[in-house]
Amino acid sequence: MKHLFTNFYQLLLSIVSNENYVNVLSIIAVSFTSYQVAKFSASKPEKIRVKQLQLANVYLPLYRIYSELPKNISKKQALNIYKKTSNILNCFYELAFPQLHRLTKRLKKDILTNQNYNKTINIIRHQIFTDYELLKKSLGYPSENLLSLFIRMTISQKIEAVKIWINLLILCTPIVLMNLFLSHPQKKIITLFMVFLVIIVVPLTIYVTKHMDD
């Protein structure tokens, strides 16, 4: 195993010592950043339109339904809530966040198997209320204070809320690190490792978090 790591380290050294590889990495970093900036700029108007549709067709109706619920409800009431939620999600399936679809399926299962459906309903209510406020804030409507809203978010919602800053980090870091790469040859291995963390690990973390239910 030690011999394998030694060979790998020597291979990296040979790569980063080659000026041609450095130039290629520089081109890749600049191209990646330019593509991401253009993609973000082009998709922004469409994202705003989608958020408007989400608020009007999904989260405002659901907010009104769940805001009137007591903390604990009967099985009959829970089934009625599930049907109302399911009807809205079926009509506007693509506008709801994936967590809400998964939680609604969990609610159905909990009701049918006599599990703790009240707990699932409270999680759904929390998701709906938070996403409702986030959508209002992103569209410029009056909403809760951002700090208090952020504190009560779930982990996946916090990641979603700061995603724009994470995107900026992903966009800017390769160029900054590439300058360090060129200015300090003795730090090339460390720089390559940091590039790997930003470009691979951060997006992977976002992907995993988006598939969390709460």
Side-chain angles (χ1 to χ4, degrees), residues 77-89:
Q77 289 174 311
L79 185 59
N80 184 46
I81 291 300
Y82 164 75
K83 289 179 179 178
K84 289 181 179 180
T85 304
S86 183
N87 286 339
I88 292 174
L89 294 183

Side-chain angles (χ1 to χ4, degrees), residues 60-69 81 84-85 88:
L60 177 56
L62 289 177
Y63 178 85
R64 288 171 173 166
I65 292 172
Y66 281 81
S67 62
E68 299 176 356
L69 288 180
I81 291 300
K84 289 181 179 180
T85 304
I88 292 174

Side-chain angles (χ1 to χ4, degrees), residues 66-201:
Y66 281 81
S67 62
E68 299 176 356
L69 288 180
K71 190 170 183 179
N72 294 296
I73 61 177
S74 66
K75 185 175 181 178
K76 182 178 180 180
Q77 289 174 311
L79 185 59
N80 184 46
I81 291 300
Y82 164 75
K83 289 179 179 178
K84 289 181 179 180
T85 304
S86 183
N87 286 339
I88 292 174
L89 294 183
N90 286 338
C91 289
F92 304 100
Y93 188 91
E94 71 282 3
L95 294 177
F97 293 115
Q99 296 95 325
L100 187 54
H101 287 296
R102 293 195 293 269
L103 285 168
T104 304
K105 290 179 181 178
R106 186 203 296 183
L107 175 59
K108 180 181 179 181
K109 180 181 177 181
D110 289 346
I111 294 173
L112 294 177
T113 57
N114 292 315
Q115 299 297 316
N116 191 357
Y117 54 82
N118 274 302
K119 178 181 177 181
T120 304
I121 285 178
N122 287 328
I123 294 173
I124 292 175
R125 173 164 39 200
H126 178 85
Q127 290 274 356
I128 289 171
F129 284 15
T130 306
D131 286 329
Y132 171 72
E133 291 294 334
L134 286 172
L135 285 169
K136 286 203 302 177
K137 182 167 289 293
S138 66
L139 291 170
Y141 293 107
S143 59
E144 287 189 25
N145 177 272
L146 184 58
L147 178 60
S148 62
L149 185 60
F150 186 82
I151 291 173
R152 64 185 182 88
M153 288 180 191
T154 62
I155 296 176
S156 59
Q157 289 172 325
K158 286 178 180 177
I159 292 291
E160 189 67 26
V162 301
K163 191 167 66 175
I164 184 171
W165 300 106
I166 295 175
N167 286 337
L168 286 174
L169 176 66
I170 295 173
L171 289 176
C172 298
T173 302
I175 292 181
V176 174
L177 292 179
M178 193 56 61
N179 289 329
L180 177 64
F181 187 92
L182 296 172
S183 304
H184 303 279
Q186 70 277 16
K187 298 181 180 179
K188 286 179 178 180
I189 296 296
I190 297 175
T191 306
L192 281 177
F193 179 70
M194 292 175 67
V195 171
F196 170 80
L197 285 179
V198 173
I199 295 179
I200 304 298
V201 177

